[in-house]
C-alpha cells in the first residue's frame, strides 16, 4: 500500500458538499479548464497527477482554488492502462476524501473530463436523487465475454502492460505470458465465487457507498490485485454484491446510468470537437469525456456552457 503525502487548503466538511476525485496524467490545458469549472464553494477537489507526468505536476504544483477546498497528492503512483495501480489510486482518493467528509457525492473524474452543466445544476440534480448510485454497467455479450477473460486467470505484473519501451515491460511480459499458458494448460482458475461486473471507471457515488468501500479497503486491494483492467471491474462488482445494489438503475443507457456523455461509437472513446458543441449543450448529462487541449474553441465553449 502506498503512503500518500498531501498538500491542502481550506477543506470544509459539510454534508451538502461534493468531493471531486480527479485522476490525471496528460492534457494540462484540459485539466486547467476542469479545475476552474470545479472551483465552486460547494466543492472539495482531490487531485492525483500521475508519477510519470513530471512536467505536468510541476505546472500544477502551485495551483490554488479561489472557492473550493483542494488537496494535491504529492507522492503519486504511476497508474498505467490495465494495471492494479488505478484501483489503488481510486481507493486512496476515496479514503482520503471520506476522512474529510461526509459528502453528498463523490465524483471520480479523469483529467480529460469536463462538466457540461453548471455546478449549481449539478448540485441540484444530485440533491433531487440523494440515494441513487450513478455507476454504469457494461452488459453486452461482448463485454461479458471480455469480463470472464479478465477475471478467470491471475495476471502478473499487469502494471507494465503498456510500458512497451521500458525494461520492466520487456522483463515481465514473458513471465506473464508463461504464467497464463501454465494456468490454461492445468485448467487453473481464480478461486472464490463472485458475481463479477464491469463498467466505466468514472462514477458519482453516495456517502453511504463510499463508506462501505473504504471499510472494505484491505479486502478490495487483495481481491482485485491480479485482475486485468481491474479498475473497470472492482467498483461495479463491489456495488453489485453490496447492500446498495438496489440503488443501481440498469436503464440500458450508459449516459443515464452515470450522467456522463461518452461516445464509444466514433472513438475509444471519441474526442469531442468544436463541431459537437450543440450535441454537448443539448445532452442531459452532467459531465462529458474526453477533450483535447488543442481544441481551445471547444474548451471556451464548454466553459461558457458550464458557467451559465
Amino acid at each position: 500500500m502506498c503512503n500518500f503525502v498531501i498538500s491542502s487548503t481550506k477543506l470544509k466538511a459539510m454534508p451538502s458538499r461534493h468531493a471531486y476525485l480527479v485522476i490525471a496524467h496528460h492534457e494540462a490545458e484540459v485539466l486547467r479548464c476542469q479545475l476552474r469549472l470545479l472551483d465552486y464553494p460547494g466543492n472539495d477537489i482531490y487531485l492525483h497527477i500521475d508519477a510519470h507526468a513530471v512536467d505536468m505536476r510541476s505546472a500544477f504544483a502551485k495551483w490554488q482554488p479561489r472557492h473550493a477546498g483542494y488537496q494535491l497528492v504529492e507522492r503519486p503512483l504511476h497508474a498505467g492502462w490495465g494495471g492494479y495501480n488505478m484501483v489503488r489510486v481510486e481507493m486512496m482518493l476515496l479514503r482520503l476524501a471520506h476522512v474529510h467528509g461526509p459528502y453528498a457525492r463523490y465524483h471520480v473524474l479523469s483529467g480529460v473530463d469536463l462538466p457540461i452543466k453548471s455546478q449549481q445544476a449539478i448540485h441540484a440534480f444530485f440533491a433531487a436523487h440523494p440515494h441513487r448510485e450513478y455507476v454504469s454497467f457494461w452488459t453486452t455479450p461482448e463485454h461479458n465475454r471480455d469480463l470472464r477473460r479478465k477475471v478467470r486467470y491471475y495476471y502478473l505484473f499487469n502494471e507494465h502492460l503498456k510500458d512497451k519501451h521500458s525494461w520492466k515491460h520487456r522483463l515481465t511480459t514473458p513471465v506473464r505470458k508463461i504464467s497464463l499458458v501454465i494456468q490454461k494448460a492445468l485448467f487453473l482458475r481464480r478461486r472464490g465465487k463472485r458475481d463479477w461486473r464491469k463498467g466505466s471507471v468514472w462514477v458519482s457515488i453516495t456517502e453511504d457507498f463510499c463508506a462501505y468501500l473504504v471499510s472494505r479497503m484491505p479486502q478490495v486491494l487483495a481481491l482485485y490485485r491480479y485482475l486485468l483492467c481491474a479498475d473497470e471491474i472492482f467498483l461495479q462488482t463491489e456495488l453489485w454484491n453490496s447492500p446498495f445494489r438496489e440503488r443501481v438503475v440498469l436503464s440500458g443507457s450508459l449516459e443515464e446510468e452515470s450522467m456522463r456523455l461518452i461516445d464509444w461509437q466514433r472513438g475509444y472513446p471519441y474526442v469531442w470537437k468544436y463541431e459537437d458543441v450543440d450535441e454537448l449543450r443539448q445532452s442531459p448529462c452532467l459531465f462529458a469525456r474526453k477533450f483535447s487541449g488543442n481544441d481551445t474553441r471547444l474548451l471556451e465553449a464548454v466553459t461558457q456552457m458550464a458557467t451559465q
Side-chain angles (χ1 to χ4, degrees):
M1 189 178 298
C2 59
N3 180 21
F4 276 58
V5 175
I6 303 299
S7 66
S8 63
T9 60
K10 58 179 181 181
L11 286 178
K12 304 173 184 177
M14 296 173 58
S16 62
R17 294 179 69 80
H18 286 208
Y20 281 93
L21 317 181
V22 180
I23 304 172
H25 70 278
H26 72 323
E27 292 285 5
E29 286 305 313
V30 179
L31 178 59
R32 189 170 287 110
C33 178
Q34 180 196 92
L35 293 178
R36 285 197 301 266
L37 294 176
L38 299 181
D39 187 7
Y40 175 72
N43 295 337
D44 288 336
I45 304 168
Y46 300 84
L47 175 61
H48 178 278
I49 298 179
D50 194 277
H52 284 192
V54 178
D55 291 342
M56 187 171 175
R57 288 187 53 76
S58 298
F60 285 89
K62 297 182 179 180
W63 184 83
Q64 293 292 328
R66 296 179 60 189
H67 307 289
Y70 173 65
Q71 292 203 3
L72 172 68
V73 177
E74 292 184 343
R75 293 182 182 174
L77 298 175
H78 170 52
W81 181 92
Y84 169 66
N85 275 355
M86 272 293 290
V87 177
R88 295 175 70 192
V89 168
E90 189 170 342
M91 284 299 300
M92 284 290 184
L93 287 173
L94 285 167
R95 185 177 69 172
L96 173 61
H98 186 255
V99 167
H100 291 93
Y103 291 100
R105 284 285 161 174
Y106 295 77
H107 306 283
V108 182
L109 299 180
S110 160
V112 293
D113 298 353
L114 292 176
I116 54 176
K117 297 290 188 292
S118 70
Q119 287 302 305
Q120 293 92 329
I122 291 172
H123 279 245
F125 176 88
F126 287 107
H129 304 86
H131 302 300
R132 179 174 169 183
E133 306 298 342
Y134 284 88
V135 177
S136 65
F137 287 78
W138 297 338
T139 58
T140 65
E142 293 79 9
H143 278 300
N144 288 335
R145 284 194 296 270
D146 183 63
L147 174 60
R148 289 192 293 271
R149 176 179 67 90
K150 289 176 176 176
V151 303
R152 183 176 296 158
Y153 304 109
Y154 291 84
Y155 290 84
L156 305 181
F157 306 111
N158 53 28
E159 204 55 52
H160 307 298
L161 282 170
K162 288 293 184 177
D163 296 334
K164 294 185 177 180
H165 301 294
S166 72
W167 66 266
K168 292 181 180 179
H169 174 83
R170 292 192 295 270
L171 182 64
T172 60
T173 296
V175 177
R176 181 174 54 255
K177 289 182 177 180
I178 292 171
S179 168
L180 288 171
V181 169
I182 293 172
Q183 291 179 69
K184 293 175 183 179
L186 297 180
F187 297 98
L188 298 178
R189 298 292 185 269
R190 179 177 293 275
R191 294 181 178 180
K193 292 184 179 180
R194 196 78 171 157
D195 195 350
W196 302 100
R197 298 286 161 162
K198 176 187 175 187
S200 174
V201 177
W202 320 113
V203 300
S204 295
I205 63 174
T206 64
E207 169 70 26
D208 292 340
F209 181 51
C210 178
Y212 173 83
L213 277 176
V214 170
S215 73
R216 281 183 44 78
M217 189 167 180
Q219 296 94 318
V220 168
L221 293 178
L223 180 61
Y224 300 92
R225 176 67 181 88
Y226 297 107
L227 269 63
L228 181 61
C229 298
D231 56 321
E232 296 178 346
I233 299 171
F234 89 95
L235 193 141
Q236 279 76 7
T237 300
E238 289 297 307
L239 178 55
W240 194 257
N241 291 275
S242 78
F244 305 100
R245 176 174 171 176
E246 63 183 18
R247 297 183 177 187
V248 174
V249 178
L250 296 180
S251 65
S253 165
L254 301 184
E255 289 79 14
E256 185 178 337
E257 290 174 4
S258 66
M259 295 308 295
R260 284 156 172 79
L261 184 62
I262 307 175
D263 187 341
W264 291 100
Q265 303 302 314
R266 291 179 287 177
Y268 199 73
Y270 175 69
V271 180
W272 297 104
K273 299 178 174 57
Y274 181 73
E275 292 74 19
D276 304 313
V277 165
D278 287 340
E279 182 178 352
L280 291 165
R281 184 178 290 113
Q282 293 167 13
S283 171
C285 292
L286 304 176
F287 309 98
R289 76 182 310 262
K290 62 184 185 176
F291 294 87
S292 169
N294 294 326
D295 198 337
T296 55
R297 289 197 303 166
L298 178 58
L299 297 186
E300 291 171 0
V302 172
T303 298
Q304 289 183 341
M305 191 185 309
T307 53
Q308 292 177 348

